[in-house]
Every structure is written in C-alpha cells, then in structure tokens.
Amino acid sequence: MELGLFERDALIERLAKRFLAIQGYIVPESYRMQSEKNHPRSKVAVAMALAAIKELELILSEREKDEEDE
C-alpha cells in the first residue's frame, strides 16, 4: 500500500508536529513543517515523519503480499 501525494503530505505535517509536541514544543496549526529549511528541530521532525511513513508503507506492503500468497 502506498499513500497518495496529498495523503503523504498531510501525514508528514501531522506526524512532524506531533513529534515536536512530544518534545514540549507548541506548533501553530498553520505552520508548514516541510517549508522550514533552516530550523534544525523542524528538519529532524520532518525526517522522523518520513522515516515513520516509509516503515508503515513497508509493513503494509509486506502484509498485503502475505495475504496474496495465502
């Protein structure tokens, strides 16, 4: 399973903001995480979100393949 472009973009934003919130930072809803190029925390949060999405897609893809093999 792969997310569509808009789904992926929205999920990156949501996860990145959540990762910063876990660390105690408050991020305005209108703030675009992926547009921030210079802030280290934002860049790390976006990288973490991308890694999480890739792992999730891999797990779901493997699950779909296993179900097809049954």
Side-chain angles (χ1 to χ4, degrees), residues 6 8-14 16-17 27-37 42 46:
F6 294 114
R8 177 182 277 268
D9 183 66
L11 187 54
I12 290 167
E13 291 295 317
R14 187 172 183 167
K17 288 176 183 174
V27 182
E29 191 62 36
S30 62
Y31 184 75
R32 282 281 298 159
M33 298 292 294
Q34 296 175 79
S35 297
E36 181 57 58
K37 302 294 184 201
S42 295
V46 169

Side-chain angles (χ1 to χ4, degrees), residues 7 15-16 24 43 50 54 64:
E7 293 171 318
L15 286 173
K43 288 168 53 175
L50 286 168
K54 286 179 185 177
E64 285 177 356

